[in-house]
Amino acid sequence: MSIIEVTTDTPESFRNKLYNIDTEGRRHKIYPHKPDGRFYRWRSRLSYLLLVFLFLAPFVKINGYQFMLFNIIERKFILFGVVFFPQDFYIVVLGILTLLVSIFLFTSILGRIWCGWLCPQTVFMEMLFRKIEHGIEGNAVQQRLLDNAKLSPRKVMKKALKHGIFFALSFAIGNTFLAYIIGSDALITIITSPPTEHLTGFVAMVLFSLVFYGVFARFREQACVVVCPYGRYQSALVDHNTIAITYDFVRGEPRSKFTRKDKEALTVQGGVETSAAASRGDCIDCHQCVNVCPTGIDIRNGIQLECVNCAACIDACDVVMDKIKKPRGLIRYASLESIRSASQHWLSTRVRAYIGVWLIVMSLFVYFFTTRDMVEVLVLRQAGTLAVTNANGDKVNFYMMNIINKNYNDMSLKVEVLEPKGASVSVIGDISKVTKVSEKSARLMLSIPADKIIGTDQYVRLGVFANGEKIKELTTRFLSSDFSSTTKE
Ligand code: SF4
Ligand code: SF4
């Protein structure tokens, strides 16, 4: 990805290395300082809301159904209390597509705002695990000292406490994610039964917990920097007009250290800058923005793939600007173009194209969602059966009928022949009660008097009645010899 216009000795050298990998190729641990400032406070508040939602959503029920469920195994999905069957899968796909295009659209306008503010990885890592780590092991410097210290009872106690809490949290997160997949009822059954009765579920629980523990205790920022596919797409999604977290190199450069003279000028001379200070940029090269960065990068090098837009560097730099009595916002949400030319054109051709695609997929999603059938009935001629002639001389065909009731109330169904007149249908099975949000199968026996038979292949119209009211018409083929059949509405 681009983008650098700052003056440094080796302006492009940062591109040749990963900040968390040393020259030998070994990973070195990042000890980010705890940020403090308005963005961190807003992110914390939002994160607590998201955490409550993430942990509670699979356990909240609407009309007896889980609020959110992604049961891939049984192909059953519930989004915000609305049940989707495998037959509705195209709507789920359209919904996912709409979400993806929305993320692309927001990314092209606002960069990786998702990563910094909403992504579960960042929320769990920065707002739960990192805070616990700071609480137990102290600030970044104390953490580094503890890691480098010899083994001692104090070190063992702190590490054991931290990793114990980390594992307990990972266990809770793993179980919550499992509840999204297999359902909260199934999860509670697994938890409350001996492991031998639900070996697969128990193994899944342990694996999920270990994976989350590994990610949050060890893997950390590498999930965003190395693994996350969304991060890899950044260079294709953003451009010079994207509003991202950006260092104002026009205002900040040339950077130089804040000297004792500068300090005296601020305090003793009543805020009047020295002539040297007045002629240089606002960046005092204090590295506070680097110290708080969870991915260890220097934002002054320009927008980089590793930046997760967490805004910690904005908060850190604002504190510095306050101290040296300069305006806040040396690092801020801004596009490269707005810093270069002081003009902002966020509605670029690319954004217009994304808005167009978004409108199309969103409209399709809304249309198909609002017009989807709440009762689906499929009638297929029973495979391998021939037409038979009964004692009255009527021709008879057999069919399989599948009913899906997506409503939140039970239904009583009946099937009648609408055409040809004189034909009749018998249901083999009970469809007088199709329970809410369920599937039911039955067989149909369709008879047509011999004088109503037209050739060896004719269409028959069936009516499906729910609680006495016609809700569907189906057309199916009636054969007098053994052919396959199709059904159409
Ligand atoms: S925190 Fe601000 S002043 Fe300090 S190095 Fe970073 S950009 Fe420069
Ligand atoms: S550069 Fe700033 S916004 Fe980007 S990850 Fe580092 S601290 Fe967060």
Side-chain angles (χ1 to χ4, degrees):
M1 198 155 59
S2 51
I3 291 163
I4 172 138
E5 301 218 345
V6 297
T7 313
T8 62
D9 290 342
T10 52
E12 297 291 323
S13 62
F14 74 95
R15 296 189 198 281
N16 302 328
K17 59 176 180 157
L18 280 173
Y19 288 86
N20 56 353
I21 307 284
D22 67 16
T23 47
E24 304 290 309
R26 283 186 303 261
R27 180 183 176 202
H28 66 79
K29 192 174 168 188
I30 295 172
Y31 296 90
H33 289 240
K34 189 167 179 240
D36 188 19
R38 58 200 163 123
F39 286 108
Y40 188 66
R41 283 193 290 278
W42 277 111
R43 281 178 63 222
S44 296
R45 286 176 200 134
L46 181 64
S47 296
Y48 298 139
L49 281 178
L50 289 172
L51 286 171
V52 169
F53 179 84
L54 275 167
F55 280 115
L56 287 189
F59 298 96
V60 171
K61 295 201 169 174
I62 291 180
N63 294 316
Y65 296 92
Q66 197 165 309
F67 188 57
M68 299 290 264
L69 178 79
F70 305 94
N71 193 334
I72 311 158
I73 305 149
E74 292 173 14
R75 293 178 299 151
K76 201 172 192 179
F77 300 90
I78 307 176
L79 304 178
F80 304 103
V82 180
V83 182
F84 292 88
F85 282 80
Q87 287 76 2
D88 299 320
F89 197 67
Y90 66 100
I91 301 177
V92 176
V93 170
L94 266 175
I96 294 169
L97 207 61
T98 309
L99 183 72
L100 280 178
V101 178
S102 308
I103 292 176
F104 287 177
L105 175 60
F106 279 106
T107 307
S108 63
I109 300 173
L110 291 168
R112 283 177 88 165
I113 196 143
W114 161 267
C115 303
W117 292 78
L118 299 168
C119 174
Q121 161 72 19
T122 316
V123 169
F124 284 131
M125 185 66 239
E126 301 305 323
M127 297 298 161
L128 270 184
F129 289 84
R130 194 86 73 189
K131 283 184 176 175
I132 290 166
E133 195 163 59
H134 278 115
I136 296 173
E137 295 188 352
N139 62 32
V141 178
Q142 291 165 325
Q143 285 174 29
R144 194 188 290 272
L145 286 173
L146 187 72
D147 279 354
N148 294 335
K150 287 205 175 98
L151 212 57
S152 66
R154 179 177 161 273
K155 181 170 179 175
V156 171
M157 196 200 75
K158 280 188 179 268
K159 291 288 177 193
L161 179 63
K162 182 181 94 170
H163 286 285
I165 295 176
F166 275 12
F167 190 78
L169 262 179
S170 304
F171 184 75
I173 296 169
N175 278 273
T176 308
F177 272 76
L178 206 54
Y180 276 100
I181 296 170
I182 62 171
S184 51
D185 292 341
L187 178 75
I188 290 165
T189 309
I190 293 172
I191 291 173
T192 52
S193 315
T196 44
E197 285 180 23
H198 303 279
L199 209 53
T200 317
F202 179 72
V203 170
M205 261 171 65
V206 173
L207 276 180
F208 268 58
S209 308
L210 286 175
V211 166
F212 281 112
Y213 172 73
V215 167
F216 295 118
R218 295 280 310 159
F219 203 60
R220 301 197 153 188
E221 78 287 346
Q222 295 191 103
C224 311
V225 173
V226 182
V227 176
C228 176
Y230 175 57
R232 308 297 93 207
Y233 275 108
Q234 293 309 302
S235 48
L237 296 176
V238 303
D239 59 22
H240 291 184
N241 286 307
T242 301
I243 298 165
I245 291 178
T246 311
Y247 165 67
D248 186 342
F249 51 85
V250 173
R251 190 186 134 192
E253 301 296 320
R255 68 187 75 159
S256 68
K257 296 284 181 198
F258 194 69
T259 62
R260 188 188 296 262
K261 266 191 181 171
D262 297 327
K263 194 173 177 188
E264 280 169 8
L266 277 184
T267 49
V268 181
Q269 297 171 22
V272 180
E273 285 184 317
T274 60
S275 55
S279 64
R280 68 190 182 211
D282 284 354
C283 175
I284 59 166
D285 208 14
C286 62
H287 273 246
Q288 291 306 312
C289 51
V290 182
N291 292 343
V292 291
C293 180
T295 60
I297 62 171
D298 187 342
I299 193 66
R300 295 172 299 165
N301 286 329
I303 302 169
Q304 294 148 74
L305 278 178
E306 294 91 339
C307 175
V308 293
N309 268 241
C310 69
C313 52
I314 299 185
D315 283 333
C317 190
D318 281 351
V319 171
V320 176
M321 291 299 114
D322 286 350
K323 282 185 185 158
I324 64 167
K325 301 210 175 357
K326 295 276 182 185
R328 288 180 169 190
L330 181 57
I331 302 173
R332 62 179 183 272
Y333 281 100
S335 72
L336 184 71
E337 197 53 42
S338 72
I339 285 174
R340 268 185 189 150
S341 62
S343 65
Q344 177 67 54
H345 308 285
W346 67 269
L347 199 59
S348 61
T349 311
R350 171 210 295 267
V351 171
R352 285 200 185 98
Y354 281 140
I355 291 174
V357 176
W358 183 82
L359 283 174
I360 292 170
V361 288
M362 188 65 183
S363 311
L364 285 173
F365 173 71
V366 171
Y367 172 77
F368 284 117
F369 179 67
T370 50
T371 58
R372 76 179 181 138
D373 278 346
M374 293 309 285
V375 179
E376 287 201 18
V377 182
L378 181 71
V379 174
L380 286 174
R381 210 168 147 271
Q382 196 169 338
T385 56
L386 294 167
V388 291
T389 309
N390 67 12
N392 301 330
D394 300 345
K395 288 282 182 191
V396 176
N397 272 200
F398 292 93
Y399 299 83
M400 293 302 300
M401 182 166 69
N402 187 259
I403 304 159
I404 301 171
N405 178 11
K406 301 175 192 171
N407 293 292
Y408 289 121
N409 51 295
D410 299 345
M411 300 191 89
S412 173
L413 296 187
K414 260 176 66 185
V415 182
E416 287 176 13
V417 180
L418 304 176
E419 211 181 314
K421 298 286 174 221
S424 63
V425 63
S426 309
V427 179
I428 305 163
D430 181 16
I431 59 168
S432 63
K433 185 180 175 189
V434 183
T435 41
K436 58 182 178 176
V437 194
S438 69
E439 272 190 80
K440 198 164 204 178
S441 294
R443 286 176 74 207
L444 295 182
M445 190 174 79
L446 194 60
S447 314
I448 301 183
D451 60 338
K452 301 283 183 193
I453 296 289
I454 315 161
T456 56
D457 184 354
Q458 69 188 94
Y459 282 105
V460 175
R461 251 178 354 107
L462 301 172
V464 181
F465 296 80
N467 307 326
E469 191 185 323
K470 188 166 79 182
I471 55 163
K472 269 190 180 302
E473 275 192 31
L474 304 170
T475 305
T476 188
R477 285 166 70 187
F478 187 94
L479 304 177
S480 301
S481 51
D482 184 26
F483 293 110
S484 60
S485 79
T486 54
T487 305
K488 63 178 185 183
E489 282 183 40

